[in-house]
Amino acid sequence: MTRVRSIAVAISLAMGAVVPAVTLLAPAAHAAEEKQQNKITTKAVAVPLKAAQEAMQKKQWDTALTEIKKAAAVEKKTPFEAYQIDEFMGFVLIQQKKFGEAAPVFERMLNSGMMPADQVDDRTKTVAQLYFQQKDYNKAAQWSKKWLEKHPNTEDMGILLGQSQYLLNDFKGAAETMRGVVNNAEKAGRKPDENWIQIVMSSYFKMQPQDKDGIGDALKKMVRYYPKPEYWENLLDIYRRKEGGDRISLGYYRLMNEVGVLKDKGDYVEMAQLAIDAGVPGEAQAIVQKGMDSGVLKSTDKTEQGRYDRLLKSATDQANLDRKTLAQQQTEADKAGTGQVLVGLGQAYLSYGETDKAIAALEKGIAKGGVTDIDEAQISLGMAYLKKGQKDQAREAFKKAGNKFKDLGELWVIRTHSA
């Protein structure tokens, strides 16, 4: 199980009560000259409703509700009268903030078929919000879907639906809905809310079986917009465990170091050893020194500390020799029939922080052809550009990395947005 569990399980979903911004006009008494079908003709209904209206004008909500209930208790009343009673009752209940009681009243009005067409949309949204407020997530999902059928891609109702689905354990539906909310925000050129992506990620995690690709994609979104170390740690933990060989492993260690999640002493040591094996002892020297300076590669155990000291000395000795031959390597590389020697030289320059020389050698080597692993070379070139601060060029280089370096290249592309 990957470390993503630590985030996905402890995720804090911002699903506080949605207090509906309900704006209702006070119901008006129907004049006698109105059409017959829209008249209150039952005296036992008309009298308490008139009294209720008078109380409402004085904001005497308890009195108004008492009178409305008298009208509702009348057995023989017309469908219009029943609708009018609900209209009065819904208005008063909202003023009293009795949202749980108001929700079924508005639902009844919507289902009656008597609601004016220009009110249906707003009341549909209100009902969805009211039910969510009362934690009736089935009803909240039902009414938010009704709204979205007529108004697809509406952000606030999409969020309400996605949250309802998540709380109903409909993780597949929640992931799909909230992924749509995130994608729509991106298309509009806006930064998706962190919580929206968290819901997507957590939904994929809680599916049975887990959708690991979905978790990875959600984490990519997360580090793109919210590059916190814990998100990067979870994302890299997923990808670096895939089989790929020592050069791929070294590539992931480099990215871990770049984003600040290289923490374990074992990772420091392995990265240094892989760098030595890859012919870049300068990088090994730098990483061991960083581990010592940070205290990660410090131990009170003399045997253990001796291993770290020997590793640093070996890397330093090899780096010193390597530096002395850089000029000779440059001459040989320029004469070589293929670009591989130039690429190796560029990687060496990069390990010593000589970014301009690294870019020049890598570009020339790639253009010359005959490179042993062109995808790894593109990653190195992208890293050099990124260290130079040329993010657009870095992005393009990383995008060209394919085959077994494709995933690593995609992650480096994401890194360019927050570097």
Side-chain angles (χ1 to χ4, degrees):
M1 185 174 294
T2 63
R3 295 178 191 167
V4 74
R5 179 180 180 83
S6 63
I7 287 180
V9 174
I11 186 174
S12 175
L13 300 175
M15 293 182 179
V18 178
V19 180
V22 181
T23 303
L24 302 176
L25 296 177
H30 287 259
E33 64 268 24
E34 288 183 332
K35 294 181 180 180
Q36 183 65 28
Q37 64 267 30
N38 283 350
K39 288 174 61 178
I40 296 176
T41 58
T42 306
K43 185 176 181 181
V45 173
V47 172
L49 281 190
K50 183 177 180 182
Q53 188 176 43
E54 290 173 355
M56 289 159 61
Q57 290 171 349
K58 299 175 184 178
K59 297 186 178 181
Q60 296 172 347
W61 308 120
D62 290 341
T63 300
L65 187 58
T66 298
E67 295 298 327
I68 294 167
K69 287 181 177 179
K70 289 179 183 179
V74 176
E75 291 185 6
K76 293 184 178 180
K77 49 185 177 285
T78 67
F80 174 75
E81 290 169 345
Y83 179 84
Q84 189 71 15
I85 290 167
D86 278 345
E87 189 172 17
F88 274 65
M89 186 176 292
F91 180 82
V92 171
L93 290 172
I94 290 296
Q95 306 312 310
Q96 294 179 311
K97 301 190 184 303
K98 296 179 179 178
F99 300 133
E101 296 178 47
V105 174
F106 284 112
E107 182 175 13
R108 194 162 57 237
M109 293 168 67
L110 282 162
N111 289 333
S112 72
M114 301 187 70
M115 183 174 288
D118 61 353
Q119 294 181 20
V120 170
D121 281 358
D122 286 343
R123 295 293 176 86
T124 297
K125 177 181 283 191
T126 296
V127 169
Q129 292 173 319
L130 288 171
Y131 276 124
F132 190 89
Q133 165 85 5
Q134 296 306 307
K135 300 183 180 181
D136 188 339
Y137 303 122
N138 274 310
K139 288 281 191 177
Q142 173 188 333
W143 285 97
S144 56
K145 283 179 180 178
K146 286 181 181 291
W147 169 273
L148 290 166
E149 285 172 3
K150 293 180 65 177
H151 308 280
N153 301 324
T154 305
E155 186 170 283
D156 59 346
M157 294 304 286
I159 294 168
L160 191 146
L161 174 59
Q163 291 180 335
S164 297
Q165 291 169 319
Y166 184 89
L167 292 166
L168 288 167
N169 294 332
D170 177 10
F171 300 121
K172 182 177 181 180
E176 181 178 351
T177 299
M178 294 307 297
R179 190 175 64 239
V181 172
V182 170
N183 290 342
N184 287 335
E186 290 179 314
K187 289 176 184 177
R190 293 186 292 107
K191 181 180 179 180
D193 188 89
E194 183 176 4
N195 181 64
W196 304 347
I197 309 172
Q198 284 179 330
I199 296 174
V200 176
M201 180 175 66
S202 186
S203 295
Y204 284 128
F205 180 84
K206 291 186 176 183
M207 286 182 191
Q208 294 298 328
Q210 289 180 359
D211 186 336
K212 294 183 179 179
D213 289 337
I215 294 171
D217 289 341
L219 279 167
K220 285 180 181 179
K221 296 276 189 186
M222 197 66 87
V223 298
R224 165 68 175 83
Y225 296 106
Y226 302 94
K228 297 177 181 178
E230 58 264 35
Y231 295 143
W232 269 113
E233 187 172 9
N234 279 276
L235 180 60
L236 286 167
D237 193 60
I238 292 172
Y239 281 92
R240 75 188 186 97
R241 293 181 185 279
K242 296 181 179 181
E243 293 295 328
D246 289 349
R247 307 291 286 216
I248 293 290
S249 295
L250 178 57
Y252 280 111
Y253 278 130
R254 286 166 172 162
L255 184 51
M256 289 172 67
N257 185 46
E258 170 75 16
V259 299
V261 298
L262 190 70
K263 301 175 181 178
D264 298 337
K265 58 180 65 178
D267 289 339
Y268 271 93
V269 170
E270 184 175 3
M271 180 179 177
Q273 291 173 336
L274 289 173
I276 290 172
D277 293 342
V280 281
E283 185 174 4
Q285 178 189 10
I287 203 64
V288 176
Q289 189 63 60
K290 179 180 178 180
M292 288 185 170
D293 293 343
S294 65
V296 176
L297 297 185
K298 287 288 185 181
S299 176
T300 55
D301 185 298
K302 292 184 179 180
T303 301
E304 181 180 352
Q305 188 60 49
R307 288 198 297 270
Y308 303 149
D309 293 341
R310 288 192 296 275
L311 179 59
L312 177 61
K313 185 177 186 304
S314 175
T316 302
D317 289 345
Q318 292 184 56
N320 289 338
L321 290 173
D322 189 46
R323 282 192 182 93
K324 292 177 181 178
T325 64
L326 286 178
Q328 180 183 346
Q329 290 182 50
Q330 180 72 65
T331 301
E332 293 175 354
D334 290 335
K335 295 178 179 179
T338 68
Q340 179 56 41
V341 182
L342 279 165
V343 166
L345 179 63
Q347 291 169 336
Y349 280 136
L350 182 60
S351 73
Y352 296 124
E354 297 188 45
T355 310
D356 290 332
K357 290 182 178 179
I359 292 173
L362 287 163
E363 285 183 335
K364 189 174 181 180
I366 291 170
K368 197 169 189 178
V371 177
T372 303
D373 196 323
I374 190 65
D375 300 304
E376 182 185 20
Q378 291 290 353
I379 295 288
S380 297
L381 179 59
M383 290 174 61
Y385 276 131
L386 191 58
K387 287 186 181 297
K388 183 71 173 175
Q390 297 175 323
K391 295 183 180 181
D392 289 340
Q393 293 93 326
R395 209 168 288 135
E396 289 304 310
F398 290 136
K399 286 179 179 178
K400 291 178 182 178
N403 300 310
K404 60 184 180 180
F405 281 91
K406 186 175 187 297
D407 287 341
L408 182 59
E410 289 178 355
L411 296 181
W412 272 108
V413 168
I414 295 171
R415 172 57 182 164
T416 64
H417 292 286
S418 58

